[in-house]
Amino acid sequence: MLHLHKSAKHMILLVEGLILLAGILFSCRPLETKQYEMQDFIHIESEEQESRIVDVVPVSGIGRGVYRVSVNYSSESLGNQLKATTYNNHVSYHSVRMDEFVLNPDLTKKSQTLWVSQELPTGGLGIWYGGEGELSVQSVKIEELAMGRIYDCLCLLLALVILYLVIRLIIAVKTGVITEEKVYVVGLLSLIVVFISVPLFLDYIPEGDDLRFHLLRIRGIADGLRAGQFPVRIHPTQFYGHGYANSIFYGELFLYLPALLHLGGVPLMVTYQWYLFLLNVATVLIFFGISKKIFGNVRLSILGTFLFAAAPYRLINLYTRAALGEATAMTFLPLIIAGLYLLYHHEPSHPEYKSYKWYLILGYTGILESHILTTQMAAFLCIVFCLVAAKKTFQGKRFLQLVEFGVITLILNAWFIVPLLDYFLEGGFTITELGSVQTSVIQGNGIYPAQLFLLFLNGAGLSLGHQIPDYASYGMTQAQGISVGLAFIVSLVYFLYLAIGRNSQVHTEENYSAAKTLAMMGILLLWMSTLTFPWDVLCRLCGSVVYNIQFPWRFLSPATAVLSVLTLFLLQMSKMNTTNNTYRHMVMLLLVLHMVNSGYLLYSYLDESEAVYTYDGSVFEDKGSGALSEYLLVYVDTDEIHAVEYPTVSNCAVTGYVKSGTNIRFKVSDVKKGENGSGAYVTLPLFAYSGYHVTNDAGETIGYMADWNGRILLEILPGYEGEISVSFGGKWFWRVAEGITLLGIVFFIYSIVKFHKKKSDISL
């Protein structure tokens, strides 16, 4: 029987190998290029007022793939566009996919990406005249990109890997290698992932509050990598190619995965959906892992995993608010709770004690690399906890583990922390001078206490809070369902009932102290999320440290993690101190409340949110950056920032100008002396962040300054003639920090190998 299974396995591998080889050979066919010169090029006079398609560039006959569409044109209106269409009812509309191709009046040539999912018998790119100003189109070029073939190979490889794993799983179950209990666990965890991922099974993304910002973060990393930056510090395409220092102020480590997928030909919105799906998988696996470590009960761990992964506030972050950073940070919060519990619950003599700090290290690293505000909240809670448990905190070996946790975390994240602190100390940015919001009070932005007790939570609506007068009048009528979830409120109330009861046996339980601490922290966090907490007083005392939080309901993020673990402690104690019927009824009540809370939230989100289609992010490019401008130089006027093809020069001639992301190269000649004896000036379409390297053809460094609107301004001395290169390379001590992080990663890998070797030796 085993021999048959081995033969079947070998046959499966052979068939999959042949399919993959066929896919690779198909991908190696020559790339297509089509050039369309407009013989009597299109020219529309400004007197014409009718909006219409004036010509069609045929794309029929081109095969499945990814193409770059390049247009030479002259336009006087943003209403003039290229629009993809199939012109065939028998071919899917989505067979030709391209972002809104706006013929920007500030440019004369432009390129965008076109996705074709099947060979087109008919179809084309319609040249749309918006009915205003003149429009001339000289040529359109369509060239196939290799990344389309890479995308097809990745899809094929993924399908084959899934097929192989499924067959191996079936064989393993039939041969008894995997027990029925493990299949049961995998099945239930998979169902949880599917339930919380329902909004991802669409061919579009439902609108979210910060959706455009985070999509452009992914595109910014991809464009930065394409331009030669690593790690990416400046997003080169934002603000019409002037660059944006998002990666310095905002942790983006985990967004490299969707960025790499986008570089491999995956449409931008699909990379976003894949990221959210993988985030759901990671959330489920992490919470199940820490629950099993703490409680040692598989069924209880599965229940807790569902409660946390499907928590209303987590789903609000993930979908309604599209708060990608905060949603990612939530994934790692359970690791913080597990690390603190294990370090304080066990004695230093425990054989695995030294490994417990890694829960904290990985948790804080994940949070820090995702969302700074959540990092601050987690640090605050840890400090409070350590002070409350001061007797245990300052015990020799335990305190040493906490110190090691802090030092190793700083080392692993030095590559991000050092540039961040450098820019904060340097100042001159909107975030450092004015804060992320132009107000010094945030209390009114908290939620109403009543929102914590709602059963049907709105998955759409407003999240701007009640501080803004225009929205205060709405009350809760159009508010998002921002709440921790009724199941957690019931758990908290029930625990308080048991804790207060004189005859309750829970006081003698081993984990009662830990549960009591979690309950107190949960109550504090819930209060802090409402508009009844005295935030305005704290704003006056602490300034931007507090009001940069913006919305007090952000504290529902750690509250969700804390109350999820508390609920498991409660159920564990309830099972030991009540009848089986009481325990079952409690579990069923929590499941029903949670299913209704989360299910209705997802339903209303899908039912009320508009569809967003974007394939390379260009749909947002001509409408601004999608960013909130916190990380710009403070005096930049974004209304005066436009797309430009050439630098602004005075008293010299510039030739051979080439711009690729944050890299610029050009030649200077005919430099004349200015009226005040100065040289020539060249203003480049890049914001003057510190860290740019400007050199001449002799390799000498040239200093730069910021012009009136924050762009790089170069002074060229009289008599100079030659080439000048500009690129963003950061600062020397940033490189040192990156080296320290690299050494930290090597140490981390070594520690894992050493721990597993020691563990295997003990088992022997």
Side-chain angles (χ1 to χ4, degrees), residues 231-496:
V232 176
R233 302 294 189 184
I234 303 292
H235 292 183
T237 47
Q238 293 211 28
F239 291 100
Y240 299 109
H242 285 70
Y244 191 52
N246 203 91
S247 292
I248 292 177
F249 289 98
Y250 205 136
E252 297 185 328
L253 176 64
F254 302 107
L255 295 188
Y256 277 78
L257 176 59
L260 288 171
L261 289 176
H262 189 49
L263 284 176
V266 183
L268 185 62
M269 69 176 185
V270 177
T271 69
Y272 183 86
Q273 291 171 316
W274 267 108
Y275 180 80
L276 293 190
F277 180 79
L278 293 175
L279 195 61
N280 283 336
V281 172
T283 300
V284 166
L285 293 178
I286 288 174
F287 197 91
F288 178 76
I290 68 104
S291 299
K292 194 176 177 186
K293 182 70 176 178
I294 294 173
F295 301 98
N297 186 309
V298 172
R299 294 190 176 185
L300 198 63
S301 299
I302 293 173
L303 174 61
T305 300
F306 172 69
L307 292 176
F308 179 72
Y313 185 69
R314 181 178 177 274
L315 298 180
I316 283 282
N317 274 338
L318 203 64
Y319 300 121
T320 310
R321 293 185 57 229
L324 201 59
E326 193 171 342
T328 303
M330 281 191 75
T331 301
F332 299 96
L333 283 170
L335 287 170
I336 304 293
I337 297 173
L340 289 172
Y341 171 79
L342 293 171
L343 280 174
Y344 281 77
H345 181 72
H346 296 289
E347 292 301 319
S349 58
H350 192 281
E352 294 184 5
Y353 193 77
K354 289 185 177 180
S355 67
Y356 294 153
K357 64 176 176 286
W358 288 103
Y359 287 88
L360 291 172
I361 292 167
L362 294 177
Y364 265 97
T365 295
I367 294 170
L368 180 61
E369 297 291 349
S370 306
H371 197 243
I372 295 295
L373 289 176
T374 304
T375 304
Q376 294 172 342
M377 290 187 286
F380 164 73
L381 291 174
C382 270
I383 292 171
V384 170
F385 176 82
C386 290
L387 291 176
V388 169
K391 283 186 178 180
K392 286 189 173 183
T393 299
F394 295 103
Q395 289 177 354
K397 292 184 178 180
R398 183 173 287 110
F399 184 70
L400 181 61
Q401 290 299 300
L402 292 172
V403 171
E404 288 183 9
F405 142 64
V407 172
I408 295 173
T409 302
L410 289 175
I411 289 173
L412 288 176
N413 297 282
W415 75 281
F416 171 65
I417 294 173
V418 170
L420 173 68
L421 291 179
D422 178 38
Y423 267 24
F424 261 99
L425 293 173
E426 178 184 310
F429 305 96
T430 303
I431 187 73
T432 60
E433 305 303 318
L434 303 177
S436 60
V437 288
Q438 308 302 313
T439 178
S440 59
V441 288
I442 63 171
Q443 186 168 330
N445 287 337
I447 60 172
Y448 293 114
Q451 288 178 256
L452 296 173
F453 301 94
L454 295 179
L455 180 59
F456 298 101
L457 299 173
N458 184 14
L462 305 172
S463 65
L464 293 176
H466 317 290
Q467 188 69 46
I468 302 172
D470 290 343
Y471 293 98
S473 60
Y474 289 127
M476 286 177 55
T477 55
Q478 297 188 34
Q480 289 178 3
I482 298 176
S483 175
V484 74
L486 198 52
F488 294 132
I489 299 297
V490 170
S491 295
L492 182 59
V493 171
Y494 186 49
F495 175 79
L496 294 176

